[in-house]
Amino acid sequence: MRISELGRRSGLPVATIKFYLREGLLPPGARTARNQANYDEGHLSRLQLIQVLTVVGRFSLASVRGILAAIDDREMSLAGLCAAVNDALFAALPPTPDEPAEVGRLRGQVDECISRLGWQVDPRAPARSALVQVLVALRELDDQFDMDYLAPYVRAADRLSAYDIESLSGETATEALASAWVARLVLFEAAFTALRALAQEHQLALRAQGGIGGSHAE
Amino acid sequence: MRISELGRRSGLPVATIKFYLREGLLPPGARTARNQANYDEGHLSRLQLIQVLTVVGRFSLASVRGILAAIDDREMSLAGLCAAVNDALFAALPPTPDEPAEVGRLRGQVDECISRLGWQVDPRAPARSALVQVLVALRELDDQFDMDYLAPYVRAADRLSAYDIESLSGETATEALASAWVARLVLFEAAFTALRALAQEHQLALRAQGGIGGSHAE
């Protein structure tokens, strides 16, 4: 198909598609004339994936590039693909603040929690540092805060991940399926965020009826 | 304190602080001379919140502006604050694609799920549309996909939100506490994302030991 049809079918402006081509996020089409190229279904699904990553996942173009490289790497394992998506989630985290003792103590809590759960995780996994940084920030808000507080989150993460990985099994034999797998990881995360927003709205409605809460000026 | 000390204590370059001042995200300091102003602890905590929102929450400046306006609005309820944060999460979602019948059917599934749970949620809540859009995208990947698939996510969202709202109760009497409340919502979301990444890494390690999975080239 021509670039105009690719635009129509993807719902994206042609200028955006040309930008992705220039940035190397979308592979070039098959040249048919000096100023014309042909695009196929692979280009369309790559554009859909880029949309999922940038719009739903809110990833930077640099993160998208990293994830696409992982998808295109035919030697990449499922674990590698998953790590590429998760690394992109934590790519922009700021450096840890300079309170080494407090940071060390919270890192100890994270390590202890992971080892008690028996989770097999790389000691240098970016998500491990991300969790420590989030704990440091929570601690600045509330000096009573520690890892125990997150126990319900830990259980939910454990349960949902087992469900995700089981339901995704056996579906990554080709580049197209690797791409679908990455899109699913991002979309499940977005679905959960939306469900959580709805559940919070409901909980706050319940509270308001109970007469608690209300204006924060009161 | 001078802007240089604000920079040192927040860990942010002075140029970034000046940018936030120009953009109106940070209120001006008390002018002490023609080219000098004094900043206080309120400025420091506002900068910390902006960092949490932009870096951890990956929100755009437009979204940050909306959230800060909600915090500064002394008439804003807890539910309003929570809605402002959640709306920012879904601000950039693309328009729904043009397959009205399919979209209507999936919207029906979402509505039915919410009503079965007894969740009190605005019919126009952005999270409701966001969930429909995520379902549409998941459906494009897998035409077997429907709302039932998300049942474990629904249960987790319900449980965690009840826990969040309960643990945040009674803490929003002032602008400083409204600000802390918003930071917590964003940080809990980030903590869960990190925990989920760790749990996924573990699940994939288990799978690899079972001989399933492996390279997606095989």
Side-chain angles (χ1 to χ4, degrees):
Chain A
M1 70 187 101
R2 302 274 189 80
I3 199 167
S4 54
E5 189 181 348
L6 193 58
R8 198 184 51 71
R9 287 187 60 195
S10 66
L12 287 173
V14 168
T16 303
I17 299 175
K18 285 185 174 166
F19 171 74
Y20 292 151
L21 285 166
R22 278 199 307 277
E23 288 285 314
L25 298 179
L26 189 68
R31 197 155 291 279
T32 52
R34 216 161 64 93
N35 268 320
Q36 211 165 289
N38 227 345
Y39 300 89
D40 59 23
E41 297 298 317
H43 288 94
L44 183 61
S45 58
R46 174 59 49 112
L47 282 178
Q48 285 163 340
L49 179 63
I50 294 173
Q51 282 304 95
V52 166
L53 294 173
T54 55
V55 179
V56 181
R58 291 181 293 140
F59 291 123
S60 69
L61 286 190
S63 295
V64 171
R65 189 171 283 117
I67 294 172
L68 295 177
I71 288 174
D72 292 336
D73 175 357
R74 309 300 303 270
E75 299 297 310
M76 182 66 81
S77 65
L78 281 181
L81 268 179
C82 189
V85 174
N86 285 326
D87 288 359
L89 285 170
F90 311 116
L93 279 183
T96 316
D98 35 62
E99 278 181 70
E102 180 71 351
V103 173
R105 204 180 60 77
L106 292 169
R107 184 174 295 278
Q109 287 193 1
V110 168
D111 291 347
E112 203 264 324
C113 169
I114 290 173
S115 104
R116 198 174 49 223
L117 289 158
W119 282 358
Q120 302 177 40
V121 189
D122 191 320
R124 296 150 309 165
R128 200 189 275 257
S129 305
L131 186 54
V132 174
Q133 283 177 270
V134 170
L135 284 178
V136 170
L138 282 165
R139 188 93 187 163
E140 274 170 19
L141 292 176
D142 174 359
D143 57 17
Q144 299 296 303
F145 194 93
D146 67 20
M147 189 67 200
D148 287 344
Y149 199 94
L150 291 177
Y153 283 80
V154 172
R155 282 193 297 273
D158 200 25
R159 251 189 243 115
L160 288 181
S161 298
Y163 179 73
D164 287 348
I165 301 299
E166 195 178 335
S167 66
L168 292 170
S169 75
E171 291 203 5
T172 46
T174 64
E175 179 260 322
L177 288 168
S179 161
W181 200 76
V182 165
R184 262 211 221 182
L185 278 181
V186 174
L187 289 167
F188 282 3
E189 178 99 18
F192 185 68
T193 299
L195 285 165
R196 196 158 163 254
L198 294 170
Q200 282 173 353
E201 183 177 335
H202 169 59
Q203 289 294 331
L204 285 164
L206 286 185
R207 252 177 80 114
Q209 285 152 26
I212 334 167
S215 160
H216 71 267
E218 66 197 8
Chain B
M1 69 188 100
R2 301 275 190 79
I3 199 165
S4 54
E5 190 182 348
L6 192 58
R8 199 185 48 72
R9 288 186 59 196
S10 66
L12 287 173
V14 167
T16 303
I17 299 175
K18 287 185 172 167
F19 171 73
Y20 291 151
L21 285 166
R22 277 198 309 277
E23 289 285 314
L25 298 179
L26 189 67
R31 197 155 290 281
T32 51
R34 215 161 66 90
N35 268 319
Q36 212 165 287
N38 226 346
Y39 299 90
D40 59 23
E41 297 298 317
H43 288 95
L44 183 61
S45 59
R46 175 60 49 112
L47 282 177
Q48 285 163 340
L49 179 62
I50 295 172
Q51 282 305 94
V52 166
L53 294 172
T54 55
V55 178
V56 181
R58 291 182 295 139
F59 291 121
S60 68
L61 286 190
S63 296
V64 171
R65 189 172 284 118
I67 293 171
L68 295 179
I71 288 173
D72 291 335
D73 175 358
R74 308 299 304 270
E75 299 296 311
M76 182 67 82
S77 65
L78 282 180
L81 269 179
C82 187
V85 174
N86 285 327
D87 289 359
L89 285 169
F90 309 116
L93 280 183
T96 317
D98 35 61
E99 278 182 70
E102 179 71 352
V103 173
R105 204 180 61 76
L106 293 169
R107 183 175 295 278
Q109 286 193 3
V110 168
D111 292 347
E112 203 262 323
C113 169
I114 289 173
S115 104
R116 199 175 47 225
L117 289 158
W119 282 358
Q120 302 177 38
V121 189
D122 191 321
R124 295 150 309 164
R128 200 189 274 257
S129 304
L131 186 54
V132 174
Q133 283 178 271
V134 170
L135 284 178
V136 170
L138 282 164
R139 188 91 187 166
E140 274 170 18
L141 291 175
D142 174 358
D143 57 17
Q144 298 296 303
F145 194 92
D146 67 22
M147 188 68 200
D148 288 344
Y149 200 93
L150 290 177
Y153 283 81
V154 173
R155 282 193 295 273
D158 200 25
R159 250 189 244 114
L160 288 181
S161 299
Y163 178 72
D164 286 349
I165 301 299
E166 196 179 335
S167 65
L168 292 171
S169 75
E171 290 203 6
T172 47
T174 64
E175 180 259 321
L177 288 168
S179 159
W181 200 75
V182 165
R184 262 212 222 181
L185 279 181
V186 174
L187 289 167
F188 281 3
E189 178 99 19
F192 185 69
T193 299
L195 285 165
R196 195 158 165 256
L198 294 169
Q200 282 173 352
E201 182 176 335
H202 169 59
Q203 289 294 331
L204 286 163
L206 286 186
R207 252 177 80 114
Q209 284 152 25
I212 332 167
S215 160
H216 72 268
E218 68 197 6

